[in-house]
Amino acid sequence: MCKHILNAQVSIRSPCCKKWFDCVECHQEQESHPLLQKFELTFACKKCKKCFRKDSQEFEEADEYCPHCDNHFVIEALTPKAAISVEGADVRVDSRMIKDDRVKAPARNQDKITIFDPDVDADKLG
């Protein structure tokens, strides 16, 4: 699998070393020689696992599909983006992700608590 293009639909056989790669960056990382560029490319569809050739000089809109299974392989590439996120269930269903178990509620009588009670949040300041 390619770490540069997340939705690669085909593998491309490099004309220089006859090895299969998902993108140009994968070839540059694994091989020491530069990629030889030719007009006729050999593809392997990742959906049906069949190989086919395309000439890039005569490339038309109909050539964007695998001739065996009609998989559309010419699509906009999804590249990985660095992000920090917290994955969890929907907080409307399960609120354990947002509840802090370290903060304990004071054991007081509920009818005596008012909004003007200063000691509820006094220890959380600063």
Side-chain angles (χ1 to χ4, degrees), residues 72-90:
H72 191 208
F73 65 89
V74 180
I75 56 176
E76 188 173 341
L78 291 177
T79 56
K81 295 178 178 68
I84 298 174
S85 64
V86 177
E87 295 182 9
D90 190 2

Side-chain angles (χ1 to χ4, degrees), residues 55-121:
D55 189 3
S56 61
Q57 290 178 327
E58 302 170 1
F59 207 80
E60 298 175 1
E61 188 175 337
D63 293 331
E64 295 181 358
Y65 297 89
C66 173
H68 304 288
C69 68
D70 289 334
N71 182 20
H72 191 208
F73 65 89
V74 180
I75 56 176
E76 188 173 341
L78 291 177
T79 56
K81 295 178 178 68
I84 298 174
S85 64
V86 177
E87 295 182 9
D90 190 2
V91 294
R92 294 172 289 184
V93 176
D94 187 11
S95 63
R96 290 181 291 173
M97 288 287 290
I98 59 173
K99 188 177 95 176
D100 192 2
D101 292 329
R102 297 172 293 176
V103 178
K104 300 292 182 189
R108 292 195 258 168
N109 196 353
Q110 291 294 331
D111 56 350
K112 293 183 182 179
I113 297 177
T114 65
I115 60 169
F116 302 106
D117 214 1
D119 62 341
V120 174
D121 292 324

